[in-house]
Amino acid sequence: MMRQGHNMPPVYAQSLELLQRAERAIPAQTQTFSKGWTQYPRGAAPVFAVRAEGGHLWDADGNEYIDWPMALGPLLLGHNHPAVNLAVRRQLDDGIAFSLPTKGELELAERLIEWFPYAERARFGKNGSDATSGAVRAARAATGRDIVLCCGYHGWQDWFIGTTTRNAGVPRAVRELTIAFPYNDADRLAQLLEQHRGAVAAIIMEPMGLIEPKSGYLEQVRALATAHGAILIFDECWTGFRIHRQGAFGKFGVAPDLACFGKALGNGVPISVIVGRAAVMEVFNEIFFSFTFGGDMLGIAAAGAVLDVLQREPVLEDVAAIGSQLVAGIQKLITTHELGDHISVAGYSARHFILFRNDGADGLLLKSVFQQEALRGGILAAGWHAPSWAHNGDDVDRTLAVYDQVFSRLRSWISQGRLADALKGDRVLPVFRAP
Ligand SMILES: Cc1ncc(COP(=O)(O)O)c(C=O)c1O
């Protein structure tokens, strides 16, 4: 049963007990930083989940939440979508791992080549990082060059994570080969390409993060990549199947040489893919991109079911509608509660963030209090929303009703200078911290 209002404070006792056990069993107590206890106000938030259905999640104490992070994006159709579950169950009956390549992987590759007009070949992985790292290796092999220019987040592997503050364990020699560039700044990219003329293997970027590309920006990037002989890789782990059925190409009309998809492709069943031009993809004949679970049939079966649903149903339109209602509703609440100096919304309907600032520190105090209070109202509040096809108008109404109460409290606590007192749990921490 979802809690009504804030009369009955939720209990997180089981979660906190499990967290103590996890401290003795699992470093960082999570497999994925963005899901772990540092991202919620510890002590005043759930830590472990046990079940999910549609757009809802249940924690270890039996508390129910409207789930907006949706496992960091993969669940475009919602938890336990019947068509995906059926495809996976059928596959279980036929076997899931084989000693030979499968007809299923060929059929999915052919389908994806059809799906993305610029794609002529496809190779599968399990995580988004498999795809981005495979694409980067392919680009280096195809060009005979080492330098990679990147923009966005691209996963856990050395070549990318060396550019972040979580770069411990990445050799300096590797770190020096990848250079991050700012989004929507073609001049800076041109400058970097000039500075490393003849040495840049790949430009890998999220074609859109939270803001839209400036008019002509992606075209400029495309032209610069071509002029400098660098492979243009779109990392569409988020944008793929979310901004448009054909990702950035569908929305902006710019074709990369290679593109990487993960997350939503399997609706929660792990699968990723690299698609692209034959001339570049043929290098996969030579490089080593080969692992035991490449072509795992649960992911392939799930992806087939996802594509079926996307072909049949107005999924993206419905998700955009839900997301737009959320964004508009939050913006209205920010105005109503006069929180414009402290809270804003960034992103697009199918993926957006609530941003916090001016809390006397770095915004994380205000964010933590927001999370704590929204969690009390039954919203799995991570500070951002990845709406799914399983969410409905009731979820939006309920969320906005809770946010209304939460924003009202935030307003008075800010005015009274009592934010720090209001926080009952620990302050949340950024995943990427200054070393
Ligand atoms: C844009 C982007 N690329 C790559 C990745 C890495 O995917 P994974 O975590 O599945 O390895 C992510 C993960 O969040 C992502 O958002």
Side-chain angles (χ1 to χ4, degrees):
M1 257 267 297
M2 185 153 296
R3 288 181 307 281
Q4 298 298 316
H6 291 230
N7 302 331
M8 290 193 318
V11 173
Y12 303 119
Q14 288 295 321
S15 260
L16 294 171
E17 205 180 303
L18 293 172
L19 183 57
Q20 277 189 350
R21 274 172 56 190
E23 278 164 5
R24 294 189 293 272
I26 302 175
Q29 297 77 55
T30 178
Q31 313 305 318
T32 314
F33 276 129
S34 300
K35 298 181 184 178
W37 60 264
T38 62
Q39 301 308 297
Y40 296 88
R42 183 171 64 166
V47 184
F48 290 93
V50 290
R51 193 167 79 77
E53 177 68 36
H56 291 221
L57 174 144
W58 285 261
D59 71 11
D61 289 272
N63 301 309
E64 179 181 352
Y65 304 89
I66 300 175
D67 182 359
W68 289 116
M70 294 300 277
L72 312 184
L75 293 147
L76 181 65
L77 304 180
H79 294 283
N80 300 333
H81 189 275
V84 178
N85 281 9
L86 181 66
V88 168
R89 271 194 213 107
R90 283 198 175 135
Q91 191 59 53
L92 286 172
D93 290 339
D94 283 344
I96 52 178
F98 296 91
S99 312
L100 296 172
T102 60
K103 190 174 161 207
E105 75 193 54
L106 170 59
E107 286 170 350
L108 184 64
E110 288 173 340
R111 202 162 170 198
L112 289 165
I113 289 167
E114 282 270 303
W115 193 277
F116 300 104
Y118 57 88
E120 297 169 308
R121 302 283 188 274
R123 278 295 299 266
F124 297 107
K126 295 304 294 173
N127 293 287
S129 303
D130 297 346
T132 55
S133 301
V136 162
R137 182 171 297 169
R140 283 174 163 159
T143 58
R145 302 169 173 183
D146 287 343
I147 302 274
V148 173
L149 305 181
C150 73
C151 178
Y153 175 80
H154 307 296
W156 75 272
Q157 306 273 9
D158 282 7
W159 71 268
F160 167 71
I161 217 67
T163 66
T164 72
T165 53
R166 283 259 186 205
N167 61 9
V170 180
R172 180 189 301 272
V174 173
R175 279 188 268 151
E176 284 169 354
L177 295 178
T178 305
I179 304 161
F181 66 93
Y183 190 68
N184 264 341
D185 186 347
D187 289 345
R188 176 69 186 137
L189 180 61
Q191 209 178 43
L192 282 170
L193 284 162
E194 202 51 57
Q195 199 177 326
H196 300 278
R197 180 168 271 282
V200 175
I203 299 169
I204 178 167
M205 65 187 300
E206 289 188 73
M208 177 170 149
L210 294 186
I211 47 171
E212 294 235 348
K214 280 188 204 158
S215 167
Y217 172 65
L218 291 178
E219 290 82 352
Q220 280 175 297
V221 173
R222 173 68 276 180
L224 282 168
T226 306
H228 284 264
I231 306 295
L232 178 60
I233 306 168
F234 280 173
D235 175 352
E236 301 233 40
C237 285
W238 261 110
T239 49
F241 310 106
R242 211 166 258 276
I243 57 171
H244 187 280
R245 245 166 282 213
Q246 292 175 326
F249 174 80
K251 183 146 173 85
F252 306 116
V254 175
D257 298 305
L258 302 177
C260 305
F261 297 85
K263 295 199 190 269
L265 177 59
N267 200 56
V269 186
I271 180 165
S272 60
V273 70
I274 308 162
V275 300
R277 293 199 298 113
V280 184
M281 291 295 291
E282 287 301 321
V283 81
F284 279 91
N285 289 316
E286 305 303 328
I287 64 170
F288 201 87
F289 182 75
S290 168
F291 28 86
T292 307
F293 293 118
D296 146 69
M297 280 307 296
L298 291 187
I300 302 258
V306 168
L307 297 183
D308 287 346
V309 176
L310 292 180
Q311 242 162 0
R312 234 182 16 239
E313 308 281 357
V315 173
L316 271 60
E317 293 78 353
D318 292 348
V319 170
I322 289 290
S324 306
Q325 287 168 36
L326 267 177
V327 172
I330 297 166
Q331 271 161 344
K332 199 163 150 214
L333 289 174
I334 291 170
T335 308
T336 307
H337 294 284
E338 298 179 357
L339 282 165
D341 287 344
H342 302 276
I343 300 178
S344 57
V345 188
Y348 50 96
S349 53
R351 183 195 183 202
H352 50 266
F353 284 68
I354 306 176
L355 304 176
F356 301 87
R357 63 184 180 278
N358 290 341
D359 61 356
D362 51 10
L364 293 178
L365 170 60
L366 181 55
K367 182 180 183 201
S368 307
V369 179
F370 162 79
Q371 289 182 269
Q372 166 187 293
E373 296 301 305
L375 287 161
R376 289 185 62 174
I379 312 300
L380 190 64
W384 54 279
H385 304 131
S388 80
W389 203 41
H391 288 103
N392 57 33
D394 286 348
D395 294 321
V396 174
D397 292 347
R398 164 102 195 134
T399 301
L400 293 175
V402 170
Y403 286 1
D404 191 10
Q405 296 176 17
V406 173
F407 281 15
S408 159
R409 288 194 192 116
L410 294 182
R411 177 67 270 168
S412 59
W413 286 330
I414 290 169
S415 302
Q416 297 160 10
R418 286 182 47 218
L419 264 186
D421 294 340
L423 182 61
K424 303 302 173 212
D426 294 345
R427 215 179 272 204
V428 297
L429 299 168
V431 168
F432 292 102
R433 304 172 207 155

